[in-house]
mmCIF file of all heavy atoms in Angstrom:
data_model
loop_
_atom_site.group_PDB
_atom_site.id
_atom_site.type_symbol
_atom_site.label_atom_id
_atom_site.label_comp_id
_atom_site.label_asym_id
_atom_site.label_seq_id
_atom_site.Cartn_x
_atom_site.Cartn_y
_atom_site.Cartn_z
ATOM 1 N N SER A 1 1.577 2.794 -4.203
ATOM 2 C CA SER A 1 0.495 3.776 -4.116
ATOM 3 C C SER A 1 0.903 4.960 -3.255
ATOM 4 O O SER A 1 1.563 4.801 -2.230
ATOM 5 C CB SER A 1 -0.748 3.110 -3.503
ATOM 6 O OG SER A 1 -1.793 4.045 -3.325
ATOM 7 N N ASN A 2 0.461 6.145 -3.666
ATOM 8 C CA ASN A 2 0.653 7.367 -2.866
ATOM 9 C C ASN A 2 -0.420 7.426 -1.782
ATOM 10 O O ASN A 2 -1.248 8.337 -1.749
ATOM 11 C CB ASN A 2 0.564 8.609 -3.756
ATOM 12 C CG ASN A 2 1.798 8.811 -4.596
ATOM 13 O OD1 ASN A 2 2.892 8.438 -4.198
ATOM 14 N ND2 ASN A 2 1.626 9.410 -5.760
ATOM 15 N N CYS A 3 -0.405 6.466 -0.887
ATOM 16 C CA CYS A 3 -1.478 6.356 0.098
ATOM 17 C C CYS A 3 -0.919 6.225 1.512
ATOM 18 O O CYS A 3 0.275 6.009 1.716
ATOM 19 C CB CYS A 3 -2.378 5.160 -0.221
ATOM 20 S SG CYS A 3 -1.607 3.545 0.046
ATOM 21 N N LYS A 4 -1.832 6.345 2.470
ATOM 22 C CA LYS A 4 -1.486 6.102 3.866
ATOM 23 C C LYS A 4 -1.497 4.604 4.150
ATOM 24 O O LYS A 4 -2.108 3.813 3.430
ATOM 25 C CB LYS A 4 -2.472 6.825 4.784
ATOM 26 C CG LYS A 4 -2.425 8.343 4.679
ATOM 27 C CD LYS A 4 -3.397 8.988 5.651
ATOM 28 C CE LYS A 4 -3.317 10.501 5.605
ATOM 29 N NZ LYS A 4 -4.256 11.148 6.563
ATOM 30 N N ASN A 5 -0.845 4.233 5.253
ATOM 31 C CA ASN A 5 -0.760 2.812 5.606
ATOM 32 C C ASN A 5 -2.137 2.210 5.865
ATOM 33 O O ASN A 5 -2.418 1.071 5.447
ATOM 34 C CB ASN A 5 0.120 2.627 6.844
ATOM 35 C CG ASN A 5 1.572 2.969 6.586
ATOM 36 O OD1 ASN A 5 2.070 2.811 5.472
ATOM 37 N ND2 ASN A 5 2.265 3.440 7.609
ATOM 38 N N TYR A 6 -3.024 2.943 6.568
ATOM 39 C CA TYR A 6 -4.344 2.394 6.885
ATOM 40 C C TYR A 6 -5.084 2.028 5.597
ATOM 41 O O TYR A 6 -5.857 1.047 5.559
ATOM 42 C CB TYR A 6 -5.191 3.413 7.681
ATOM 43 C CG TYR A 6 -5.978 4.324 6.783
ATOM 44 C CD1 TYR A 6 -7.245 3.969 6.316
ATOM 45 C CD2 TYR A 6 -5.426 5.521 6.307
ATOM 46 C CE1 TYR A 6 -7.942 4.787 5.441
ATOM 47 C CE2 TYR A 6 -6.120 6.328 5.438
ATOM 48 C CZ TYR A 6 -7.370 5.960 5.009
ATOM 49 O OH TYR A 6 -8.049 6.752 4.118
ATOM 50 N N TYR A 7 -4.874 2.836 4.541
ATOM 51 C CA TYR A 7 -5.593 2.642 3.274
ATOM 52 C C TYR A 7 -5.163 1.330 2.635
ATOM 53 O O TYR A 7 -6.002 0.524 2.210
ATOM 54 C CB TYR A 7 -5.293 3.824 2.368
ATOM 55 C CG TYR A 7 -6.101 3.903 1.092
ATOM 56 C CD1 TYR A 7 -7.405 4.391 1.106
ATOM 57 C CD2 TYR A 7 -5.557 3.532 -0.126
ATOM 58 C CE1 TYR A 7 -8.142 4.503 -0.064
ATOM 59 C CE2 TYR A 7 -6.284 3.632 -1.301
ATOM 60 C CZ TYR A 7 -7.574 4.112 -1.263
ATOM 61 O OH TYR A 7 -8.308 4.215 -2.427
ATOM 62 N N MET A 8 -3.855 1.115 2.603
ATOM 63 C CA MET A 8 -3.343 -0.147 2.060
ATOM 64 C C MET A 8 -3.832 -1.320 2.904
ATOM 65 O O MET A 8 -4.255 -2.354 2.373
ATOM 66 C CB MET A 8 -1.812 -0.114 2.020
ATOM 67 C CG MET A 8 -1.184 -1.319 1.343
ATOM 68 S SD MET A 8 -1.372 -1.308 -0.461
ATOM 69 C CE MET A 8 -0.078 -0.144 -0.937
ATOM 70 N N ASN A 9 -3.788 -1.164 4.223
ATOM 71 C CA ASN A 9 -4.206 -2.255 5.106
ATOM 72 C C ASN A 9 -5.690 -2.567 4.961
ATOM 73 O O ASN A 9 -6.100 -3.741 4.989
ATOM 74 C CB ASN A 9 -3.881 -1.900 6.561
ATOM 75 C CG ASN A 9 -2.388 -1.819 6.827
ATOM 76 O OD1 ASN A 9 -1.585 -2.409 6.108
ATOM 77 N ND2 ASN A 9 -2.008 -1.078 7.848
ATOM 78 N N SER A 10 -6.514 -1.530 4.813
ATOM 79 C CA SER A 10 -7.959 -1.737 4.653
ATOM 80 C C SER A 10 -8.267 -2.475 3.358
ATOM 81 O O SER A 10 -9.084 -3.410 3.330
ATOM 82 C CB SER A 10 -8.694 -0.390 4.680
ATOM 83 O OG SER A 10 -8.511 0.266 5.906
ATOM 84 N N HIS A 11 -7.610 -2.064 2.296
ATOM 85 C CA HIS A 11 -7.824 -2.751 1.015
ATOM 86 C C HIS A 11 -7.271 -4.170 1.051
ATOM 87 O O HIS A 11 -7.850 -5.084 0.440
ATOM 88 C CB HIS A 11 -7.196 -1.946 -0.122
ATOM 89 C CG HIS A 11 -8.037 -0.794 -0.569
ATOM 90 N ND1 HIS A 11 -9.046 -0.914 -1.500
ATOM 91 C CD2 HIS A 11 -8.046 0.507 -0.193
ATOM 92 C CE1 HIS A 11 -9.630 0.248 -1.688
ATOM 93 N NE2 HIS A 11 -9.043 1.138 -0.904
ATOM 94 N N ASN A 12 -6.189 -4.360 1.767
ATOM 95 C CA ASN A 12 -5.656 -5.716 1.918
ATOM 96 C C ASN A 12 -6.670 -6.599 2.634
ATOM 97 O O ASN A 12 -6.880 -7.762 2.249
ATOM 98 C CB ASN A 12 -4.334 -5.672 2.694
ATOM 99 C CG ASN A 12 -3.619 -7.008 2.690
ATOM 100 O OD1 ASN A 12 -3.804 -7.834 1.788
ATOM 101 N ND2 ASN A 12 -2.810 -7.243 3.707
ATOM 102 N N ALA A 13 -7.317 -6.065 3.656
ATOM 103 C CA ALA A 13 -8.313 -6.831 4.395
ATOM 104 C C ALA A 13 -9.497 -7.224 3.515
ATOM 105 O O ALA A 13 -10.046 -8.326 3.646
ATOM 106 C CB ALA A 13 -8.800 -6.029 5.603
ATOM 107 N N MET A 14 -9.881 -6.345 2.601
ATOM 108 C CA MET A 14 -11.059 -6.597 1.770
ATOM 109 C C MET A 14 -10.753 -7.385 0.508
ATOM 110 O O MET A 14 -11.575 -8.173 0.033
ATOM 111 C CB MET A 14 -11.709 -5.259 1.390
ATOM 112 C CG MET A 14 -12.310 -4.505 2.566
ATOM 113 S SD MET A 14 -13.516 -5.471 3.517
ATOM 114 C CE MET A 14 -14.812 -5.709 2.295
ATOM 115 N N PHE A 15 -9.562 -7.176 -0.071
ATOM 116 C CA PHE A 15 -9.243 -7.760 -1.381
ATOM 117 C C PHE A 15 -8.094 -8.762 -1.340
ATOM 118 O O PHE A 15 -7.691 -9.264 -2.390
ATOM 119 C CB PHE A 15 -8.911 -6.642 -2.377
ATOM 120 C CG PHE A 15 -10.064 -5.732 -2.686
ATOM 121 C CD1 PHE A 15 -10.160 -4.478 -2.101
ATOM 122 C CD2 PHE A 15 -11.080 -6.130 -3.550
ATOM 123 C CE1 PHE A 15 -11.213 -3.625 -2.383
ATOM 124 C CE2 PHE A 15 -12.150 -5.291 -3.841
ATOM 125 C CZ PHE A 15 -12.224 -4.037 -3.252
ATOM 126 N N GLN A 16 -7.554 -9.034 -0.136
ATOM 127 C CA GLN A 16 -6.455 -9.990 0.015
ATOM 128 C C GLN A 16 -5.297 -9.656 -0.943
ATOM 129 O O GLN A 16 -4.817 -10.497 -1.712
ATOM 130 C CB GLN A 16 -6.933 -11.439 -0.219
ATOM 131 C CG GLN A 16 -7.942 -11.929 0.811
ATOM 132 C CD GLN A 16 -9.349 -11.388 0.581
ATOM 133 O OE1 GLN A 16 -9.886 -11.491 -0.524
ATOM 134 N NE2 GLN A 16 -9.951 -10.808 1.600
ATOM 135 N N LEU A 17 -4.868 -8.418 -0.881
ATOM 136 C CA LEU A 17 -3.801 -7.952 -1.770
ATOM 137 C C LEU A 17 -2.532 -8.781 -1.623
ATOM 138 O O LEU A 17 -1.838 -9.047 -2.608
ATOM 139 C CB LEU A 17 -3.484 -6.481 -1.473
ATOM 140 C CG LEU A 17 -4.616 -5.471 -1.632
ATOM 141 C CD1 LEU A 17 -4.142 -4.083 -1.211
ATOM 142 C CD2 LEU A 17 -5.129 -5.448 -3.062
ATOM 143 N N ASP A 18 -2.218 -9.177 -0.391
ATOM 144 C CA ASP A 18 -0.956 -9.886 -0.167
ATOM 145 C C ASP A 18 -0.966 -11.312 -0.706
ATOM 146 O O ASP A 18 0.068 -11.971 -0.722
ATOM 147 C CB ASP A 18 -0.559 -9.865 1.309
ATOM 148 C CG ASP A 18 -1.632 -10.397 2.238
ATOM 149 O OD1 ASP A 18 -2.673 -10.896 1.737
ATOM 150 O OD2 ASP A 18 -1.436 -10.322 3.469
ATOM 151 N N GLU A 19 -2.126 -11.777 -1.155
ATOM 152 C CA GLU A 19 -2.178 -13.075 -1.823
ATOM 153 C C GLU A 19 -1.874 -12.947 -3.318
ATOM 154 O O GLU A 19 -1.630 -13.944 -3.995
ATOM 155 C CB GLU A 19 -3.550 -13.716 -1.634
ATOM 156 C CG GLU A 19 -3.852 -14.073 -0.174
ATOM 157 C CD GLU A 19 -5.212 -14.721 -0.004
ATOM 158 O OE1 GLU A 19 -5.877 -15.002 -1.037
ATOM 159 O OE2 GLU A 19 -5.617 -14.939 1.152
ATOM 160 N N ILE A 20 -1.909 -11.714 -3.821
ATOM 161 C CA ILE A 20 -1.668 -11.458 -5.241
ATOM 162 C C ILE A 20 -0.313 -10.799 -5.459
ATOM 163 O O ILE A 20 0.447 -11.197 -6.353
ATOM 164 C CB ILE A 20 -2.779 -10.557 -5.820
ATOM 165 C CG1 ILE A 20 -4.141 -11.256 -5.726
ATOM 166 C CG2 ILE A 20 -2.471 -10.171 -7.275
ATOM 167 C CD1 ILE A 20 -5.312 -10.385 -6.136
ATOM 168 N N PHE A 21 -0.011 -9.807 -4.626
ATOM 169 C CA PHE A 21 1.199 -9.003 -4.823
ATOM 170 C C PHE A 21 2.335 -9.494 -3.934
ATOM 171 O O PHE A 21 2.130 -9.875 -2.778
ATOM 172 C CB PHE A 21 0.906 -7.529 -4.529
ATOM 173 C CG PHE A 21 -0.057 -6.907 -5.492
ATOM 174 C CD1 PHE A 21 -1.411 -6.840 -5.186
ATOM 175 C CD2 PHE A 21 0.380 -6.414 -6.718
ATOM 176 C CE1 PHE A 21 -2.310 -6.273 -6.079
ATOM 177 C CE2 PHE A 21 -0.510 -5.847 -7.617
ATOM 178 C CZ PHE A 21 -1.863 -5.786 -7.301
ATOM 179 N N ASP A 22 3.534 -9.435 -4.491
ATOM 180 C CA ASP A 22 4.730 -9.837 -3.741
ATOM 181 C C ASP A 22 5.177 -8.751 -2.769
ATOM 182 O O ASP A 22 5.874 -9.042 -1.792
ATOM 183 C CB ASP A 22 5.865 -10.157 -4.722
ATOM 184 C CG ASP A 22 5.518 -11.325 -5.630
ATOM 185 O OD1 ASP A 22 5.648 -12.471 -5.179
ATOM 186 O OD2 ASP A 22 5.093 -11.085 -6.776
ATOM 187 N N LEU A 23 4.795 -7.515 -3.034
ATOM 188 C CA LEU A 23 5.189 -6.403 -2.184
ATOM 189 C C LEU A 23 4.106 -5.329 -2.257
ATOM 190 O O LEU A 23 3.629 -4.998 -3.334
ATOM 191 C CB LEU A 23 6.535 -5.826 -2.639
ATOM 192 C CG LEU A 23 7.132 -4.676 -1.841
ATOM 193 C CD1 LEU A 23 7.417 -5.097 -0.405
ATOM 194 C CD2 LEU A 23 8.421 -4.182 -2.513
ATOM 195 N N LEU A 24 3.731 -4.794 -1.083
ATOM 196 C CA LEU A 24 2.766 -3.696 -1.000
ATOM 197 C C LEU A 24 3.515 -2.460 -0.535
ATOM 198 O O LEU A 24 4.097 -2.450 0.551
ATOM 199 C CB LEU A 24 1.654 -4.034 -0.011
ATOM 200 C CG LEU A 24 0.867 -5.327 -0.255
ATOM 201 C CD1 LEU A 24 -0.147 -5.564 0.863
ATOM 202 C CD2 LEU A 24 0.166 -5.293 -1.611
ATOM 203 N N MET A 25 3.493 -1.394 -1.352
ATOM 204 C CA MET A 25 4.260 -0.187 -1.057
ATOM 205 C C MET A 25 3.316 1.005 -0.911
ATOM 206 O O MET A 25 2.764 1.509 -1.892
ATOM 207 C CB MET A 25 5.282 0.077 -2.172
ATOM 208 C CG MET A 25 6.269 -1.066 -2.392
ATOM 209 S SD MET A 25 7.449 -0.716 -3.724
ATOM 210 C CE MET A 25 8.433 0.600 -2.966
ATOM 211 N N ALA A 26 3.112 1.446 0.323
ATOM 212 C CA ALA A 26 2.318 2.637 0.614
ATOM 213 C C ALA A 26 3.268 3.792 0.883
ATOM 214 O O ALA A 26 4.233 3.648 1.630
ATOM 215 C CB ALA A 26 1.420 2.396 1.826
ATOM 216 N N SER A 27 2.988 4.950 0.310
ATOM 217 C CA SER A 27 3.965 6.044 0.388
ATOM 218 C C SER A 27 4.190 6.533 1.815
ATOM 219 O O SER A 27 5.270 7.023 2.132
ATOM 220 C CB SER A 27 3.549 7.209 -0.515
ATOM 221 O OG SER A 27 2.322 7.767 -0.097
ATOM 222 N N GLU A 28 3.198 6.389 2.706
ATOM 223 C CA GLU A 28 3.425 6.794 4.092
ATOM 224 C C GLU A 28 4.589 6.029 4.708
ATOM 225 O O GLU A 28 5.382 6.584 5.470
ATOM 226 C CB GLU A 28 2.167 6.584 4.933
ATOM 227 C CG GLU A 28 2.340 7.063 6.374
ATOM 228 C CD GLU A 28 1.129 6.850 7.247
ATOM 229 O OE1 GLU A 28 0.170 6.170 6.807
ATOM 230 O OE2 GLU A 28 1.128 7.353 8.386
ATOM 231 N N ALA A 29 4.708 4.758 4.360
ATOM 232 C CA ALA A 29 5.791 3.932 4.891
ATOM 233 C C ALA A 29 7.156 4.356 4.363
ATOM 234 O O ALA A 29 8.191 3.963 4.916
ATOM 235 C CB ALA A 29 5.536 2.462 4.556
ATOM 236 N N TYR A 30 7.167 5.164 3.310
ATOM 237 C CA TYR A 30 8.408 5.653 2.706
ATOM 238 C C TYR A 30 8.539 7.163 2.877
ATOM 239 O O TYR A 30 9.230 7.826 2.100
ATOM 240 C CB TYR A 30 8.452 5.270 1.225
ATOM 241 C CG TYR A 30 8.544 3.777 0.996
ATOM 242 C CD1 TYR A 30 7.403 2.982 1.039
ATOM 243 C CD2 TYR A 30 9.771 3.154 0.770
ATOM 244 C CE1 TYR A 30 7.482 1.605 0.852
ATOM 245 C CE2 TYR A 30 9.853 1.779 0.576
ATOM 246 C CZ TYR A 30 8.706 1.013 0.623
ATOM 247 O OH TYR A 30 8.793 -0.360 0.436
ATOM 248 N N GLY A 31 7.867 7.710 3.891
ATOM 249 C CA GLY A 31 7.964 9.144 4.166
ATOM 250 C C GLY A 31 7.366 10.015 3.087
ATOM 251 O O GLY A 31 7.789 11.163 2.907
ATOM 252 N N TYR A 32 6.364 9.494 2.374
ATOM 253 C CA TYR A 32 5.697 10.222 1.279
ATOM 254 C C TYR A 32 6.694 10.676 0.213
ATOM 255 O O TYR A 32 6.555 11.752 -0.366
ATOM 256 C CB TYR A 32 4.888 11.408 1.799
ATOM 257 C CG TYR A 32 3.706 10.992 2.651
ATOM 258 C CD1 TYR A 32 3.693 11.222 4.022
ATOM 259 C CD2 TYR A 32 2.608 10.356 2.079
ATOM 260 C CE1 TYR A 32 2.608 10.829 4.803
ATOM 261 C CE2 TYR A 32 1.526 9.957 2.854
ATOM 262 C CZ TYR A 32 1.530 10.202 4.214
ATOM 263 O OH TYR A 32 0.464 9.810 4.988
ATOM 264 N N GLN A 33 7.680 9.833 -0.048
ATOM 265 C CA GLN A 33 8.599 10.121 -1.149
ATOM 266 C C GLN A 33 7.895 9.885 -2.479
ATOM 267 O O GLN A 33 6.830 9.275 -2.552
ATOM 268 C CB GLN A 33 9.829 9.216 -1.059
ATOM 269 C CG GLN A 33 10.682 9.420 0.175
ATOM 270 C CD GLN A 33 11.885 8.507 0.166
ATOM 271 O OE1 GLN A 33 12.845 8.726 -0.576
ATOM 272 N NE2 GLN A 33 11.838 7.479 0.982
ATOM 273 N N SER A 34 8.520 10.346 -3.550
ATOM 274 C CA SER A 34 7.979 10.090 -4.886
ATOM 275 C C SER A 34 8.045 8.592 -5.185
ATOM 276 O O SER A 34 8.810 7.838 -4.564
ATOM 277 C CB SER A 34 8.786 10.847 -5.937
ATOM 278 O OG SER A 34 10.087 10.277 -6.047
ATOM 279 N N LYS A 35 7.253 8.168 -6.160
ATOM 280 C CA LYS A 35 7.283 6.755 -6.527
ATOM 281 C C LYS A 35 8.648 6.353 -7.066
ATOM 282 O O LYS A 35 9.121 5.240 -6.808
ATOM 283 C CB LYS A 35 6.177 6.441 -7.540
ATOM 284 C CG LYS A 35 4.788 6.437 -6.910
ATOM 285 C CD LYS A 35 3.714 5.985 -7.887
ATOM 286 C CE LYS A 35 2.365 5.915 -7.183
ATOM 287 N NZ LYS A 35 1.273 5.480 -8.079
ATOM 288 N N ALA A 36 9.292 7.242 -7.799
ATOM 289 C CA ALA A 36 10.636 6.930 -8.309
ATOM 290 C C ALA A 36 11.595 6.662 -7.156
ATOM 291 O O ALA A 36 12.402 5.728 -7.202
ATOM 292 C CB ALA A 36 11.145 8.080 -9.179
ATOM 293 N N ALA A 37 11.510 7.474 -6.093
ATOM 294 C CA ALA A 37 12.380 7.284 -4.927
ATOM 295 C C ALA A 37 12.018 6.008 -4.175
ATOM 296 O O ALA A 37 12.908 5.305 -3.664
ATOM 297 C CB ALA A 37 12.287 8.495 -4.012
ATOM 298 N N MET A 38 10.727 5.708 -4.088
ATOM 299 C CA MET A 38 10.307 4.464 -3.428
ATOM 300 C C MET A 38 10.868 3.249 -4.163
ATOM 301 O O MET A 38 11.376 2.310 -3.548
ATOM 302 C CB MET A 38 8.775 4.398 -3.381
ATOM 303 C CG MET A 38 8.141 5.417 -2.442
ATOM 304 S SD MET A 38 6.341 5.602 -2.712
ATOM 305 C CE MET A 38 5.740 3.972 -2.221
#
């Protein structure tokens, strides 16, 4: 997602994303690079 870390973390808290997905990739953690670069 092209999102900030807090956004991913908030949704993880509400929807338990890490129980479904093997990896959560927020663009802030990758310096707001393009998805292809991530």
Side-chain angles (χ1 to χ4, degrees):
S1 176
N2 285 330
C3 70
K4 295 182 177 181
N5 293 330
Y6 89 87
Y7 188 79
M8 186 73 79
N9 294 337
S10 298
H11 280 275
N12 189 25
M14 293 305 295
F15 295 102
Q16 295 77 52
L17 300 176
D18 55 6
E19 295 181 6
I20 298 174
F21 294 95
D22 298 280
L23 182 62
L24 304 177
M25 302 180 69
S27 63
E28 183 181 9
Y30 294 82
Y32 294 110
Q33 296 181 74
S34 69
K35 287 186 176 180
M38 291 166 66

